[in-house]
Amino acid sequence: GLAQSIFAKFTVSLAYKLDCEKPKTAEVIVEFETPNTEFANQLTYALTNGGEIALAHDVNVVEPLVINAPGKTVTIDLNNFSMNQLSKQHPENPALGPSPKSNPVLEVQGGTLIINGKGTVNGGVGNGNMAICVRNGARVIINGGTFHVGQDDTPGVSGNSCIYVFQGEALINGGEFSTEEAGASGEYFVLNCTDANYTNGTAKISVTSGKFHNFNPGNNKAEGVGTNFVAEGFKSVANPDGTYSVVAK
């Protein structure tokens, strides 16, 4: 049946972290702190068929978790756990996925991903690493959580984006966002789009709430000087600690 086929997929691609040992195969896609086949089944099913799931463990990935559920909604409650990208993407060994410049924790290729609750999505360190990216006209709605990405460790390259829209839409209604390293221009591209698609209207970011480190969502250089991702009826305000928050006008 369906549950058996889903479980078979995970028995091939999952390694469970037992007795604090590292997985011993490069074929691992996801590892959990303890074996939990029920959670594995639920997560796999939701990513491709839609549905709601609350994290039952920290989830560490070495390939993007792909949401491809056209016309459907996948809702993930972080539930005080974390989702972490462990792999580094380098030019000589591109990460899996449609683009060699994409190594997120979560990649939304079809349908809508909603993220709720407290918890962390950490894009890790590497070339093209991200917390979340959106493609193919898909959509992500972020209502809470902490989102971070580390530095690009490729010589001569600097700056990773935390949330990136290739084509589609990101709606940010809450959460905390940061990227560890500035780009070559000195700008921290915490939120970012493919420039051409932003210009033609097929890549969009809209912010109604949230806290942003080293990045003003209402006035930044992500898509050129003066880029404003803040939704109508809201504004970005500077905080005493140097961060920016989006609030209602």
Side-chain angles (χ1 to χ4, degrees):
L2 182 60
Q4 291 180 334
S5 66
I6 292 171
F7 179 71
K9 176 180 178 181
F10 267 78
T11 56
V12 172
S13 61
L14 278 187
Y16 292 123
K17 190 174 180 181
L18 299 175
D19 299 325
C20 299
E21 293 181 356
K22 296 289 186 181
K24 297 180 179 179
T25 170
E27 300 302 318
V28 177
I29 293 177
V30 180
E31 62 171 359
F32 299 106
E33 291 296 326
T34 55
N36 189 329
T37 56
E38 180 181 2
F39 174 58
N41 291 347
Q42 291 172 348
L43 178 61
T44 309
Y45 184 85
L47 293 180
T48 54
N49 295 277
E52 300 180 4
I53 184 165
L55 295 189
H57 299 281
D58 291 342
V59 177
N60 299 323
V61 303
V62 295
E63 297 173 7
L65 283 177
V66 175
I67 293 86
N68 193 4
K72 298 178 181 178
T73 298
V74 177
T75 301
I76 297 177
D77 181 348
L78 296 175
N79 198 28
N80 293 303
F81 291 104
S82 66
M83 306 183 79
N84 308 290
Q85 178 58 263
L86 301 184
S87 71
K88 299 179 179 182
Q89 176 192 9
H90 297 281
E92 67 273 18
N93 184 25
L96 297 180
S99 168
K101 281 289 292 180
S102 172
N103 190 31
V105 179
L106 293 160
E107 180 164 298
V108 193
Q109 295 185 8
T112 298
L113 169 65
I114 299 175
I115 297 183
N116 294 326
K118 295 180 179 180
T120 302
V121 180
N122 190 337
V125 174
N127 179 233
N129 281 39
M130 307 167 183
I132 299 174
C133 76
V134 182
R135 297 181 181 275
N136 305 333
R139 182 169 66 161
V140 62
I141 301 173
I142 299 173
N143 295 322
T146 300
F147 302 82
H148 178 75
V149 67
Q151 66 183 12
D152 189 319
D153 65 349
T154 304
V157 179
S158 61
N160 279 326
S161 299
C162 184
I163 308 296
Y164 195 99
V165 179
F166 289 93
Q167 187 179 46
E169 185 176 20
L171 305 177
I172 298 176
N173 301 320
E176 188 166 350
F177 304 83
S178 61
T179 181
E180 187 172 322
E181 182 183 50
S185 65
E187 184 87 358
Y188 288 81
F189 294 110
V190 177
L191 307 180
N192 205 356
C193 297
T194 298
D195 292 347
N197 291 341
Y198 178 82
T199 299
N200 68 29
T202 61
K204 303 176 182 179
I205 296 176
S206 181
V207 183
T208 65
S209 185
K211 184 177 182 180
F212 302 83
H213 293 254
N214 298 308
F215 184 81
N216 181 353
N219 184 9
N220 59 80
K221 298 179 182 178
E223 313 308 323
V225 176
T227 299
N228 181 13
F229 292 132
V230 176
E232 187 175 349
F234 296 83
K235 63 181 179 180
S236 177
V237 297
N239 299 315
D241 62 359
T243 62
Y244 289 86
S245 294
V246 174
V247 298
K249 288 184 176 178

